[in-house]
Structures are given as structure tokens and as C-alpha cells.
Amino acid sequence: MVTAVAQRLLSQRKQVDDTLAHFSLNRDQLRVVRDKMRVELERGLRKDSHSSASVKMLPAFVFQTPDGTERGKYLALDLGGTNFRVLVVKIRSGIRKSVRMYNKIYAIPHEIMQGTGEELFDHIVHCISDFLDYMGMKNTRLPLGFTFSFPCRQTGIDKGSLVSWTKGFKATDCEDHDVVDMLRDAIKRRNEFDLDIVAVVNDTVGTMMTCAYEDSKCEIGLIAGTGSNVCYMEDMRNIETVEGDEGQMCVNTEWGGFGENGCIEDIRTKFDREVDEGSLNSGKQRFEKMTSGMYLGEIVRQILIDLTKRGLLFRGRITEPLKTRGIFETKFLSQIERFISTYTLIIALMHLQSLGSTCDDSIIVKEVCGAVSHRAAQLCGAGMAAIVEKIRENRGLEHLEITVGVDGTLYKLHPHFSRVLKDTVRDLAPKCTVSFVLSEDGSGKGAALITAVARRYCDKRRQEWLKLRIDKYLYSMRFSDETLLEIMSRFRRELEKGLSQDTNPTATVKMLPTFVRSIPDGTEKGDFIALDLGGSNFRILRVKVSHEKKQTVQMETEIYDTPEDIIHGSGTRLFDHVAECLGDFMEKHKIKDKKLPVGFTFSFPCAQTKLDEGILLTWTKRFKASGVEGMDVVKLLNKAIKKRGVRFTDIMAVVNDTVGTMMTCGFDDHRCEVGIIIGTGTNACYMEEMRHIELVEGDEGRMCINTEWGAFGDDGMLEDIRTDFDRDIDRGSLNPGKQLFEKMVSGMYMGELVRLILVKMAREGLLFEGRITPELLTKGKFETKHISAIEKSKEGLSKAKEILARLGVEPSADDCIAVQHVCAIVSFRSASLVAATLAAILTRLKDNKHVPRLKTTVGIDGSLYKMHPQYARRLHKTVRRLVPECDVRFLLSESGSGKGAAMVTAWAYRLN
Ligand code: BG6
Ligand code: BG6
Ligand code: GLC
Ligand code: GLC
């Protein structure tokens, strides 16, 4: 009899042991798991295998862990773990470095978790609303960090579309939708408060950041809770699904999906398969279903049912609770394993589950729990070993010391899970010393830290990544030095073509003689009027040059309007307007009765045979008055002046603004022999040897040539570097097919170029979440002065936000960085092109002088050059790189071209 009982017990014992033996993994098996995990990690990172990889390796767009300088007040949401929390996080930096948090936990009812997406997000916003009321913060527009503990495919820190629900969530119409958009829409629907959603963060990432705030070695985040997952800092060069090779980025591995391709079938048991089949996402998250709190209880339940069915437990009676899915929560599992005395265990089981009734039953239940949780911890350990080994190899280290930030109820509450996990990692990754730090504050703190960094725009790596993306998008606007040298030599050939009598008629760069033969020599004096027409302002000046002890210049200026209807009307009306303004000026300055000589800066291409004649070849920039092209503008102005009855003033000289600028600067620096304008339009003049100017008689001395370089490329010479944006600009201009170089370079067109790029990028979903406003579509709404404001180093990004808001766009932080970079590329291209053409002029001057090194001064004017914060520096640097054999001084014309025009007039007057 005794033997029979003993045999029955022994057989029972054996059957239980045999069943649980499937859960015991030996070292070799764990090594295999580690190695397979490693393969899947790599496959998830690689472009060609990413789509079929079971471990998705999702880029998290977090480029660095906190450095302690984060500060501010943030709202954080924490959705997807056991609890849904809303928090306010206050972060201080410096010596008072601290983080304070206030939070409230809200329930997410089952029917909402599995209802519609709209209901879920409305519920979330309802909870936020309650929390803001509770905190008295409804009227503050706080930045928000959103911990969303599900797999999201991110394209930026504030963009993430849900790949698929996991764990207990299954709300409809959410998968493949951007969760930030859904939250924003729900906030709009409620229409009670506003929030600035800055970052969407996985809980693993939030946890890593929370722990890294205290421990800079923390570069891995692990969740062992309802779900199971890991993130870590990966080298950018290994993340093939994201552009860029520099620095690091956090990758959310979503290792819960490991095994979806069948690679761990050998260790899955029939109980694992049953749990999977009964889950919300059958076939998915196979590793998670073997390792996380949400499923371990279920595995235990399945084993208990099996053992009961086989008469090995509960006297073969399957009770109602045992039939109930989800009855075994993680916390019960932890509690069962925690109880040491059998008596308390039985009580607990009876109390909690009405399951156990005998002493043996309780022991078996405890063993089942132990086997299942032990395997879970071992599997997590094997996975973690693969991660730390990968990091060690990435860094080429013999030995790696690293910290893992951990959170999750399973890790926190289970009596043995953490120990087994650590032992396994130690065993399977012997070249790594891995410390585990428990996240005391949840991932909300980490989400707030990420929000702080993202908001401050100073996450350098993230900025670099964004910039790189735009660099690639606008690669055709970025030139290598090799290309610039090529453009330089093409322009050099154009200069020669324009100078030669034979080729000039077909040359695009007209190389117009100006009859200005030298820069000021210090002897000029007199009282002059200067008109300055063609730049952004129409100015009239009185310029008095006296010669007491030293030459001094006094100037009085008035700015006059040139309304659109006048510059686009008839030529007669335009010159009448100029004469009228001149009359007004003389009256105002009480010089009505003086017969002062006039110098006329007319900033358009004019053919001259003498100083006081200028036949307008063609209008450029914004001017298009009829009946002026082909006419002598001096004559037209004289006629208008006479008509008005202004006491006759002699127009002694007509000068281009480049010439006026060279002369203004030449007054201060006798080395000045080049004048350039980078303003509404762009152009250059320089002193050429008479012997090379075949269009003018005489070989002696020098004469200033107005190159009219704006027309460079009008014969197709620049087609290889023009972009579709340039072609659009040209088509929409007043002079299609003309001034093609000017249209790539100058202020009149640059803002518009940026606008066109932004519209295209938005259309392709690369900016503003694909939203395009009517203002953004309006020509001229984005001006070159905006580029200058946006590129300012300190306040540029807030300016971008302001300017874009005026265009009806609600830009994210990333949008602002992107727009700033688009501006930089467009303005940098302009500076590079000007550098190339200017370099060609400098080499020409050097060759003319037959010197090994050229020392010269370039006089410059124009609003783009003057107002843009980086333009001048970039231009100077590039010129010096392209022509290292020239020592160039760049001299800004402080007083406009009027002073220079007066100098030319003084000469003309003297000759007269
Ligand atoms: C919390 C974090 O502490 O842990 C959450 O704040 C995370 O973001 C959770 O999801 C994970 O644990 P569990 O057990 O709640 O799923
Ligand atoms: C001014 C000169 O300073 O600059 C003008 O006086 C010139 O002659 C102008 O045309 C060019 O710059 P912008 O930006 O006004 O076209
Ligand atoms: C699930 C989610 C994952 C999350 C983890 C822990 O695996 O897919 O995003 O990190 O649970 O909560
Ligand atoms: C346009 C004009 C040119 C002028 C330049 C700068 O290119 O054609 O004459 O110098 O603008 O204002």
C-alpha cells in the first residue's frame, strides 16, 4: 500500500518535473538565444533586412543622454505600463540641480483600451484636463513629453506612428497613425487648453534617460514589467535606416518581437503557444510573451490547467478562477514566490485565487511560478548579453563597463528575477561589467529631460542629423571647392569673352566700359547732388567735399518712395517722379537756386561712350518701366528736370552702383580696385587695363569695367548647377531667361527660393507635418530679410518660429532647425557663387599686374551682405580658400554709392 502511494507520488513528481523541465534552459541553450538575438539586432539595423527582422530596432531620435544642464517645467504623460500617469516635472540645473515631480494616476478602463482611437485619446486628454485643473495650470502652455510604451516608427523626436499595439491595448484606427497628431487632435477637440507636444518617447528610453541623469554610464534602458523591452545608445554609422554616420542615437529594440520569424521555436513550449493563441496579438511579441509580467501569470495558469487535467493538481478539479484568463497578475506571481512558509502560501492562494487547497498543491504552484519566472529572467539576461556585447564591439573595447537603467513591476517586485537576470548576463557576457540601476522615478522624468533637450534646440547631435538630412535633400545646392573652381574658370573665360571686340556681341557678361579711369586721389572737392536709383531705396544726397587741412565729406540724405506702379509704368512717369523728388530735395535743403552738378547712380546695365551718357540695355531686378530700354537715361532725366522747371542742374556722370561703391571705398583705401554689390541685385566692377578693353580706343592706363555679372549663365553656361527651384524663380520673374546668376545669388530672389523649397518639403511631408498654409503658397511672403533673421546664431530659431507662425505654420522645434538649415544652404550657395566669380576677377587683376601675389581691396555694399549674420564671413573665407595667392581686404561701403558718385562727378566737372 505504502509503496503504491509512494509510487503514485513519485510518478506525480516526475510528471511535474518533466513538465517544468521544458522551462529550464541550460547554458548552451542560453548562448544560442544570445547569439540569435544578436543576429536579429543586426538585421533590424540593416536597411536590406530591416523589414523582415523580428527585432525592429526603431530609431528613437534621442542623440545623447542628459548632461545636467536641462531645466524648465514640463508636463509628461506615461501611457502603456500598469498605470497611466500625468505628471508635472520641474527641472533645475546648476548648483541647485534637482528634479521635482507631481503626478496623478488615472485608470484606463478596459473598454477604452480596446475601443476606438478617438475614445482613447479623448480619455487621455480628459485626464490631462483634470490634472491641469488640480495643479491650477490650465492657462500655461506647457511643453509636453509623451511616454508612449508601444512600438513607434519615429521620423523625428516629435513624430511617431504606431507600428502595432502590444500588451493589453487594441484601440482601433491607431496603427500606422502618428500618435502625436492623434493627441494634438484630441486636445483641439476638447478646446480647453493648449500644449506644446515636443517629444514622444518609449518607456525604455524614458527609463534610460531617468537613470542617466544620475549616472552618466547609463546607456541602456530595460523594462521588465507588463511588457519587456530594451533600448540602448547605438552608433549612428550602424543604424542604416537613418541617414548620417556621426555620433550616436538611441535605438528602441522592441525585442519583445524576437522570435516572430520562428527562430526560437525550439525553446517555446506548448504553454507558450497556448498563451500566444489566447492573446490579443497572436503570433506577435513571442519573446515578450515568455518574459513579461502580462504573460507569465498566463503561462503559469496554462501549466496549472494542464497539471490539473492530468490529475496532478487540485485533485483534478478545474475551478472557475483557474479558467479565468488574466487571473494571475504579475504581482501575485511575485507574491507566491516570496512566501517562504507553506502555510502562508496556502492561505494566500486560497485568499487570492481560491486555487490551492493542499500543501502539495501549493508547493507545485510555487514551483511552476518559479520555473516560469526563472526562464523569463534567464531569457532577458541572454538578450541583455547580446546588447552589451554589441556595444562593447562597437567601441572596440576589450572590456566594457556599462549601466542599465531598469523599471517595471516584474523587476521591482519579483524576489528572484533581478538576481537571475544579472547572473545570466555575467555568465554570457564575461567581457562586460554591467550594473543595474533601478529607476525610482519612472520614465516620466526621462521624458521631461528629453523634452528639455529637444526644446532647448541644443541637442547638437539631433541638429546635426536634421541638417544632414536636409544637406542630402538639397545636395544640388551645395558645392565642393572643385565645382567652385570650375565656376571660377568659366567666369574668367566669360570676362575675356566680354572684353574682346569679336566675342562681345554674343557674350552674356557684357563688360561695360564706365569711363571712370581712376579711383579718388584725394584732390576732389565741391558741392554735389547724387541720385541713387535701383537698389532697395531711392535716395537723393547732397555731398560736400571740402579741402581744408584734410579732405572731408559731408552728406545729407533723403529717401524717397518708388511705388510699384511707377517702376512698372511708363518711363516718362518714372523720370518725372525722379525729377519731382529732386525738386523736393532742393527745396527742403534750400539749394533751389544753386546750380549743383549731379552724379546719377543708376544701378542697371548701361552702355556708355562717355561719363554723362548711359543707354539702358535692359531693366533688371524689379524695374520694368516702358520706353526706357535703348534710351539714354541722362537725356530722359534732363528732359524731366527741364519739364518741372527745376533750375537747370548739370548731370555730369551716370555711374553704376558697383562703380559708386568702388569709388566710395576708394576714397578711404587707395588700393580699392573692385566694387561689388550683394543686395537686391548682384554685380561687380573692377579696374581693367585699357589695352585689354577692345571696345574703347586707347591703350594707356586703366578703366573701370562694369561686368554685369548678374547675366552670367544666360547662355546656358550654369545649367549644370541650376536647380528646379531656380528655374521656377526665373519663370515667375519679370525677365525670364535673363540674369540667371543674379537669380541664384541676390536678395531679390533668395527669400523666394527658400519659400519654394519649404513648400516642396512640406508637400513631401518633410516639414510642418505636411501642412501647407495659403500664406506659405503666396509669392513674396518669405523675404530675404527673414533669412538673415533666421540665421542669427542666438535668436535664429525663435525668429524662425515667429516668422513661420506669421505664415500660419505651427512649426515644431525640428521644423525650425530644418528651416534654419534650408536658409543656410541657400545663403551659403549665394556666398560661394559670389566667391567664385570674385575670385576670377582677382586672378585677372593679378595676371594683369604680373605679380606673384596680389594685395588688393574690394569695396562692398548691398543689404544682403550687410544684414546677413554669416554671409560676409563665409564669402571672405571661401575667396581666401579659392585664391590663396591674393591678400584681399573687404571694405564695407558705409555711406552707400552716393559718395562715390560724387567723386566721379567731381572728376567730370573738373574735366568739363
Ligand atoms: C514605470 C514607467 O515606472 O514602469 C513606465 O514610468 C513603464 O513608463 C513602466 O511603462 C513599466 O512597468 P509596468 O510594470 O508598469 O509595465
Ligand atoms: C546702397 C547703394 O548702399 O546699396 C546703392 O547706395 C546700391 O547704390 C545698394 O544699389 C545695393 O543694395 P540694395 O540691397 O539696396 O540693393
Ligand atoms: C511592449 C512595447 C514596448 C514597451 C514594452 C515595455 O513591449 O511594445 O514599446 O517598451 O512593452 O512597456
Ligand atoms: C543688377 C543690375 C546691376 C546692378 C546690380 C546691383 O544686377 O543689372 O547694374 O549693379 O543689380 O544693384
Side-chain angles (χ1 to χ4, degrees):
M1 183 65 191
V2 173
T3 346
V5 171
Q7 261 178 355
R8 189 172 55 80
L9 283 175
L10 271 177
S11 142
Q12 188 180 356
R13 186 68 249 168
K14 187 167 180 310
Q15 289 188 59
V16 172
D17 286 349
D18 285 350
T19 306
L20 296 187
H22 296 291
F23 287 85
S24 136
L25 300 175
N26 63 31
R27 214 166 167 205
D28 288 339
Q29 284 175 302
L30 289 171
R31 278 201 188 122
V32 173
V33 172
R34 175 196 64 191
D35 297 344
K36 284 184 182 166
M37 176 68 87
R38 176 64 190 267
V39 170
E40 284 302 293
L41 297 177
E42 303 289 355
R43 278 172 35 80
L45 287 173
R46 273 204 322 273
K47 223 177 191 163
D48 56 353
S49 47
H50 174 81
S51 58
S52 64
S54 65
V55 178
K56 292 174 208 76
M57 304 299 275
L58 302 169
F61 291 82
V62 166
F63 295 82
Q64 65 188 67
T65 49
D67 63 5
T69 60
E70 299 72 18
R71 53 202 286 259
K73 187 154 86 178
Y74 305 93
L75 196 68
L77 301 182
D78 189 353
L79 177 80
T82 316
N83 294 309
F84 168 47
R85 256 179 251 259
V86 188
L87 313 86
V88 161
V89 185
K90 291 183 184 170
I91 312 170
R92 278 182 169 174
S93 59
I95 35 170
R96 293 193 299 173
K97 184 180 149 188
S98 66
V99 177
R100 278 197 296 165
M101 303 203 290
Y102 308 86
N103 79 78
K104 228 174 147 182
I105 292 179
Y106 292 89
I108 304 228
H110 207 259
E111 61 277 13
I112 286 201
M113 280 187 188
Q114 295 175 21
T116 69
E118 218 173 271
E119 280 160 4
L120 171 65
F121 280 90
D122 282 345
H123 177 72
I124 294 171
V125 172
H126 163 78
C127 300
I128 302 176
S129 166
D130 175 79
F131 182 73
L132 290 176
D133 278 335
Y134 168 73
M135 297 294 292
M137 284 180 169
K138 248 215 182 118
N139 297 322
T140 358
R141 187 171 188 226
L142 288 173
L144 172 89
F146 182 13
T147 303
F148 182 72
S149 310
F150 301 95
C152 276
R153 198 167 293 288
Q154 294 194 237
T155 51
I157 188 67
D158 59 351
K159 291 181 185 70
S161 85
L162 174 63
V163 178
S164 55
W165 285 118
T166 54
K167 301 178 281 190
F169 281 69
K170 197 75 189 168
T172 56
D173 303 322
C174 294
E175 292 178 353
D176 290 329
H177 288 72
D178 189 316
V179 293
V180 174
D181 278 348
M182 286 192 279
L183 182 58
R184 272 200 195 116
D185 291 347
I187 293 175
K188 272 200 195 125
R189 273 199 298 279
R190 191 165 180 100
N191 196 23
E192 250 182 37
F193 55 87
D194 205 2
L195 295 171
D196 197 0
I197 309 170
V198 178
V200 58
V201 178
N202 186 264
D203 52 354
T204 52
V205 184
T207 299
M208 178 187 77
M209 295 297 272
T210 300
C211 297
Y213 190 65
E214 314 294 340
D215 174 352
S216 62
K217 282 215 187 82
C218 179
E219 296 179 88
I220 303 176
L222 166 70
I223 298 284
T226 315
S228 171
N229 193 13
V230 164
C231 74
Y232 72 100
M233 295 304 289
E234 176 55 277
D235 290 355
M236 279 289 278
R237 66 193 152 91
N238 294 335
I239 314 173
E240 289 185 8
T241 50
V242 177
E243 275 157 22
D245 285 338
E246 293 298 309
Q248 294 187 316
M249 187 194 272
C250 181
V251 168
N252 164 18
T253 65
E254 286 294 333
W255 79 6
F258 179 47
E260 279 175 19
N261 56 358
C263 70
I264 48 170
E265 285 315 296
D266 54 335
I267 56 163
R268 281 177 87 221
T269 63
K270 69 171 182 163
F271 307 108
D272 295 306
R273 291 193 184 95
E274 275 157 8
V275 168
D276 180 39
E277 275 153 27
S279 70
L280 283 175
N281 51 353
S282 169
K284 299 271 164 61
Q285 299 292 101
R286 294 191 189 170
F287 189 66
E288 178 159 88
K289 286 171 187 163
M290 298 166 86
T291 52
S292 83
M294 179 158 169
Y295 305 97
L296 296 192
E298 265 307 281
I299 304 175
V300 168
R301 194 177 67 89
Q302 293 296 345
I303 303 172
L304 297 186
I305 290 178
D306 180 76
L307 296 180
T308 311
K309 275 187 188 159
R310 286 155 61 196
L312 302 169
L313 205 58
F314 305 141
R315 297 192 187 99
R317 248 181 349 103
I318 299 182
T319 58
E320 272 316 301
L322 194 55
K323 284 191 205 148
T324 318
R325 193 180 293 154
I327 191 95
F328 255 96
E329 292 177 38
T330 329
K331 59 179 179 198
F332 296 150
L333 201 88
S334 302
Q335 278 167 1
I336 290 168
E337 285 195 65
R338 204 181 281 275
F339 289 117
I340 310 211
S341 103
T342 316
Y343 174 72
T344 46
L345 177 59
I346 297 171
I347 300 293
L349 279 179
M350 289 200 332
H351 178 66
L352 294 170
Q353 315 288 338
S354 334
L355 291 176
S357 49
T358 70
C359 184
D360 290 347
D361 286 347
S362 315
I363 292 170
I364 292 175
V365 171
K366 192 173 169 183
E367 278 176 6
V368 171
C369 291
V372 170
S373 63
H374 190 265
R375 183 188 67 161
Q378 282 186 316
L379 287 175
C380 280
M384 185 56 77
I387 303 261
V388 289
E389 262 302 295
K390 164 119 186 87
I391 299 176
R392 187 185 69 78
E393 284 173 28
N394 280 349
R395 301 183 188 175
L397 295 174
E398 259 310 297
H399 188 88
L400 173 77
E401 257 187 57
I402 199 159
T403 300
V404 182
V406 198
D407 206 342
T409 40
L410 181 59
Y411 185 90
K412 283 203 277 206
L413 303 179
H414 194 280
H416 314 304
F417 186 91
S418 69
R419 184 186 43 77
V420 177
L421 166 74
K422 287 174 198 168
D423 288 349
T424 313
V425 176
R426 201 172 309 122
D427 195 29
L428 298 188
K431 292 183 177 168
C432 304
T433 306
V434 187
S435 314
F436 290 80
V437 175
L438 185 64
S439 155
E440 302 286 353
D441 302 318
S443 68
K445 175 169 159 183
L449 289 164
I450 294 172
T451 309
V453 175
R455 198 132 183 278
R456 230 174 17 175
Y457 307 110
C458 76
D459 184 342
K460 278 215 181 93
R461 301 238 169 83
R462 196 173 106 252
Q463 289 202 14
E464 275 160 20
W465 176 83
L466 273 167
K467 287 179 183 171
L468 215 86
R469 196 164 80 148
I470 292 176
D471 285 349
K472 285 211 171 155
Y473 189 77
L474 296 178
Y475 72 95
S476 54
M477 291 192 140
R478 291 160 47 83
F479 303 137
S480 62
D481 276 3
E482 206 183 346
T483 309
L484 292 180
L485 288 167
E486 163 62 23
I487 293 166
M488 174 178 151
S489 65
R490 282 186 209 170
F491 186 64
R492 178 74 199 255
R493 287 197 293 277
E494 284 295 303
L495 294 178
E496 276 140 28
K497 195 169 166 191
L499 284 173
S500 139
Q501 196 147 20
D502 296 341
T503 45
N504 177 275
T506 59
T508 51
V509 178
K510 280 293 171 211
M511 304 298 279
L512 303 166
T514 64
F515 293 82
V516 169
R517 293 172 192 268
S518 75
I519 53 162
D521 65 0
T523 62
E524 302 77 6
K525 62 175 181 180
D527 197 351
F528 309 97
I529 296 276
L531 300 177
D532 186 353
L533 180 73
S536 40
N537 292 309
F538 168 37
R539 267 181 253 251
I540 304 185
L541 308 88
R542 181 176 181 194
V543 187
K544 278 197 263 185
V545 191
S546 58
H547 239 288
E548 314 263 288
K549 274 185 206 135
K550 144 174 187 269
Q551 195 181 26
T552 49
V553 178
Q554 264 187 312
M555 296 201 291
E556 294 160 22
T557 312
E558 300 285 343
I559 291 181
Y560 291 92
D561 264 359
T562 43
E564 199 86 336
D565 60 321
I566 290 192
I567 60 180
H568 293 166
S570 76
T572 321
R573 201 155 153 239
L574 171 66
F575 284 97
D576 283 350
H577 174 70
V578 173
E580 194 182 315
C581 298
L582 180 61
D584 175 83
F585 182 87
M586 296 179 80
E587 194 139 327
K588 236 189 211 155
H589 291 261
K590 305 193 174 45
I591 45 174
K592 234 172 39 191
D593 302 324
K594 289 199 171 177
K595 197 179 163 201
L596 299 181
V598 174
F600 183 16
T601 304
F602 183 68
S603 309
F604 301 96
C606 285
Q608 294 187 261
T609 52
K610 50 188 178 174
L611 266 180
D612 59 352
E613 178 199 74
I615 317 272
L616 175 65
L617 294 176
T618 172
W619 284 119
T620 55
K621 302 179 282 191
R622 356 183 157 265
F623 280 63
K624 197 78 187 169
S626 60
V628 188
E629 287 175 350
M631 308 292 282
D632 178 2
V633 293
V634 176
K635 279 205 183 112
L636 293 178
L637 183 56
N638 266 332
K639 201 166 135 199
I641 292 174
K642 255 196 211 149
K643 199 159 82 187
R644 260 197 67 80
V646 177
R647 202 182 136 82
F648 194 67
T649 357
D650 285 326
I651 299 166
M652 305 301 301
V654 58
V655 294
N656 185 264
D657 52 354
T658 53
V659 184
T661 298
M662 181 187 78
M663 297 298 274
T664 299
C665 295
F667 181 83
D668 297 315
D669 179 340
H670 294 291
R671 274 222 175 92
C672 184
E673 48 189 345
V674 182
I676 68 176
I677 298 284
I678 312 168
T680 317
T682 183
N683 191 15
C685 71
Y686 73 101
M687 296 303 291
E688 179 56 90
E689 303 296 319
M690 276 297 285
R691 63 179 189 280
H692 295 149
I693 310 173
E694 294 182 4
L695 298 169
V696 182
E697 299 267 306
D699 279 347
E700 287 307 304
R702 303 205 289 173
M703 182 181 279
C704 178
I705 292 288
N706 165 17
T707 64
E708 285 294 331
W709 75 15
F712 180 32
D714 288 4
D715 56 355
M717 186 63 88
L718 295 178
E719 282 321 290
D720 54 342
I721 58 160
R722 285 177 79 226
T723 62
D724 286 344
F725 301 114
D726 297 304
R727 294 189 180 97
D728 279 355
I729 291 276
D730 180 44
R731 271 194 291 276
S733 69
L734 285 174
N735 50 353
K738 291 198 177 151
Q739 300 290 104
L740 298 186
F741 179 72
E742 180 160 86
K743 286 170 188 164
M744 295 171 85
V745 163
S746 80
M748 179 160 161
Y749 309 97
M750 244 171 63
E752 195 51 16
L753 264 171
V754 169
R755 188 185 68 82
L756 292 179
I757 297 170
L758 299 188
V759 169
K760 179 154 188 256
M761 288 182 74
R763 282 212 169 107
E764 290 173 19
L766 295 170
L767 276 180
F768 318 138
E769 296 181 327
R771 283 193 268 262
I772 300 174
T773 61
E775 291 93 329
L776 201 60
L777 286 174
T778 312
K779 191 172 166 191
K781 276 280 177 188
F782 196 95
E783 298 175 43
T784 301
K785 66 175 184 209
H786 294 146
I787 299 181
S788 299
I790 289 173
E791 281 195 65
K792 283 200 176 123
S793 55
K794 275 205 184 128
E795 64 218 88
L797 288 165
S798 49
K799 288 274 172 215
K801 192 161 190 164
E802 223 176 277
I803 290 162
L804 292 166
R806 267 186 258 135
L807 294 177
V809 177
E810 247 184 59
S812 65
D814 282 1
D815 283 336
C816 292
I817 294 168
V819 169
Q820 186 180 59
H821 198 55
V822 169
C823 290
I825 289 179
V826 171
S827 63
F828 207 107
R829 182 181 74 152
S830 163
S832 304
L833 287 173
V834 171
T837 45
L838 177 59
I841 292 181
L842 294 171
T843 57
R844 169 120 196 129
L845 280 172
K846 181 177 145 300
D847 293 351
N848 282 348
K849 290 184 184 179
H850 306 292
V851 286
R853 284 198 77 77
L854 175 76
K855 207 169 163 126
T856 192
T857 298
V858 174
I860 311 196
D861 205 346
S863 47
L864 178 53
Y865 180 84
K866 282 200 283 207
M867 317 247 301
H868 190 286
Q870 332 269 359
Y871 199 99
R873 190 179 46 83
R874 291 176 187 160
L875 171 70
H876 304 171
K877 230 171 127 181
T878 314
V879 169
R880 289 186 180 126
R881 227 177 36 242
L882 295 179
V883 279
E885 66 281 17
C886 299
D887 299 320
V888 194
R889 177 179 182 219
F890 291 89
L891 187 58
L892 178 67
S893 156
E894 302 284 358
S895 41
S897 68
K899 178 164 143 188
M903 295 296 147
V904 178
T905 311
W907 270 92
Y909 198 56
R910 221 185 302 174
L911 294 175
N912 210 1

